[in-house]
Each structure stands twice: as C-alpha cells, then as structure tokens.
Amino acid sequence: MYDITLVFDTYIRSLVSEIETAKEKSEHYARSLEEKVQERTRQLEEMSHTDPLTGLLNVRHFENIITTALYSAQRRSEPVTLIYIDIDDFKTINDMYGHQRGDEVLRLVANAIKSVARAEDITVRYGGDEFCMLLSNLRAEQAQELIISRLEHTMTKTLEHVSLSIGIAQTGPEAYIDAFTLINLADKNMYSTKASHKTDKQEPKL
C-alpha cells in the first residue's frame, strides 16, 4: 500500500507539473500573440498615414493635423506657417524619362524636404508632385530663411536641373484662419510663384 501511495503521489505531482507547464506555455503564447497583433495594428495604422513612395505623411489626415496644430498654437499665441511645394514641369520629366525616373525624383525631393525639416515639423505628400510642410511656432520670414533657403540649396546638390515652386502662408499669432483656408492660401501663393518663373523651354537634364 505504501508503494502504491508513493507511485500515485508521484504520478499526481507529475500530472500537476505538466498541467502547470502547459498553462505557462499557453499564457506565453497568448501574450506573444497579443504583442504581434498590437505590433501589426501599429504597422497598419502607420501605413494608413504614410505615403508608401516617399515615406512622408499622406494627405488623408492632413487637414485634421493642421486643425489640431492651430488649436495648440492659439492656446500659446504662436504663429503657424504652411509651405506648399510643387515640382516644376513634373509631367515633362515623366514623359521624357519615364515614371520610374519620375518616382525617383519624388523620393529625392521628399528626402530633401525631410532633411531640412525640424523634428517638430510635419511633412506631407499632398498630391502627385505636391508637398506641404507645417511649421509650428515659426513665422513666414523665418521659414524662408531657415527652411526654404536650405531646401533650395539641397536641391541644387541632389537635383540640380529640377526646380520647385514654393508658396508660404502664415496664420497667427494675432488672428487665425482655419486649416482649409490656410492650405488654399499657401497653394495660391505657390501658383503665383510658379507664374513668376520664367518658362525654361530646354528639356530637363536628369
């Protein structure tokens, strides 16, 4: 009887140990699965906000981002500046050199924009060959000196024969306009700049 009891106790302990081990494995698997789901969800959310070609934010949530930035600026009585950027004669680049080269130009312009942006700035691919930069607590004249001049200098080193038309619009700190109006104003100023450029009849050299 003693031997039977000992064997039975040993069996029970072994069975309990196996159950606890299986439980730990199950809990570990559940945690691992939850972490993978959270990471995948984060990746999907990031993809939904990011332009896959350039790595900049896409236009989908841009107006909401500007609205949030404007609310924050109003609370602190700070200016907000929007830079609207368009690649000159981009259709000609695509037609002459192909869409693959056109995509490369878009990536290089996006990289130039990212390289001159501050950590707090928001950079967006707004359309096919159009980009925007949202600059918090920066006036238009400061943006011209600190951002645009550096962007133009960077462009001369990376894409010497590609030019940009750039428009600037500022709101605050005295009075503020809404996000839609700010975008349209910067867009209008960009087209004024484009109209003032002398049309270069020579073929782009890429």
Side-chain angles (χ1 to χ4, degrees), residues 155-206:
M155 286 291 296
T156 59
K157 294 190 297 183
T158 57
L159 287 167
E160 181 180 358
H161 299 288
V162 174
S163 62
L164 304 176
S165 291
I166 301 175
I168 309 176
Q170 175 188 324
T171 184
E174 292 79 16
Y176 292 86
I177 56 180
D178 60 53
F180 180 77
T181 305
L182 183 63
I183 294 172
N184 282 346
L185 181 58
D187 184 30
K188 180 180 178 181
N189 292 338
M190 181 275 291
Y191 275 105
S192 296
T193 302
K194 184 179 288 290
S196 68
H197 287 174
K198 292 181 179 180
T199 303
D200 187 354
K201 297 299 182 180
Q202 294 182 352
E203 296 179 349
K205 298 176 182 179
L206 300 177

Side-chain angles (χ1 to χ4, degrees), residues 79 137-148:
N137 197 22
L138 201 68
R139 293 181 177 273
E141 58 270 20
Q142 294 172 310
Q144 179 67 50
E145 180 181 354
L146 298 176
I147 304 297
I148 295 177

Side-chain angles (χ1 to χ4, degrees), residues 69-132:
L70 291 176
Y71 284 145
S72 298
Q74 284 180 288
R75 288 196 301 269
R76 296 190 295 266
S77 297
E78 295 175 349
V80 176
T81 296
L82 181 68
I83 299 176
Y84 202 112
I85 303 165
D86 178 87
I87 302 175
D88 292 333
D89 300 318
F90 184 71
K91 184 179 183 302
T92 302
I93 295 173
N94 271 334
D95 291 344
M96 291 185 60
Y97 300 99
H99 289 279
Q100 185 174 358
R101 178 54 177 164
D103 287 348
E104 184 180 356
V105 169
L106 289 172
R107 283 192 293 267
L108 289 171
V109 172
N111 289 339
I113 290 171
K114 286 185 283 188
S115 72
V116 302
R118 304 170 302 170
E120 63 270 30
D121 295 335
I122 297 170
T123 54
V124 176
R125 184 184 179 190
Y126 193 72
D129 61 335
E130 297 174 334
F131 304 86
C132 287

Side-chain angles (χ1 to χ4, degrees), residues 22-40:
K23 181 181 178 182
E24 289 177 0
K25 289 182 178 179
S26 176
E27 291 175 348
H28 176 73
Y29 176 76
R31 288 195 300 269
S32 176
L33 184 61
E34 183 179 357
E35 290 173 357
K36 288 179 180 179
V37 169
Q38 290 176 347
E39 175 63 18
R40 184 56 179 164

